[in-house]
Amino acid sequence: GLEHRVTVLEKAPLIGAHTLSGAVLEPRALFELFPDWEERGAPLHTPVSSDRMGYLTESSRLPLPILSGTPVDNHGNYIV
């Protein structure tokens, strides 16, 4: 039979503490509906600082461009 290897990357300090992974929120609607959302304590604390995208092969990663203004461009968004 085939042998498969699986790697799990946990981003939280405890195993299983990260129940939602990779969600990004575009806050335009918050600004329109609640201009003071930051002062009200909305739980958006982690702005996207950089983006990388790649195509994974069996042995490597091929970088793919992220074009400004496309759905994969997360500049100005928040990680939730």
Side-chain angles (χ1 to χ4, degrees):
L2 294 174
E3 181 179 319
H4 296 283
R5 288 185 172 188
V6 176
T7 302
V8 176
L9 300 177
E10 181 62 59
K11 298 183 283 183
L14 301 171
I15 293 177
H18 216 257
T19 59
L20 182 64
S21 179
V24 177
L25 175 74
E26 194 275 301
R28 185 178 2 177
L30 279 178
F31 283 118
E32 292 174 4
L33 295 171
F34 306 102
D36 61 342
W37 66 267
E38 292 173 291
E39 292 81 27
R40 296 174 104 186
L44 300 177
H45 307 294
T46 310
V48 172
S49 59
S50 66
D51 278 325
R52 288 190 331 173
M53 187 168 59
Y55 179 78
L56 300 178
T57 69
E58 188 174 311
S59 61
S60 66
R61 176 187 171 275
L62 303 171
L64 296 173
I66 296 178
L67 303 175
S68 181
T70 63
V72 295
D73 176 19
N74 288 302
H75 178 77
N77 295 341
Y78 287 82
I79 300 169
V80 295

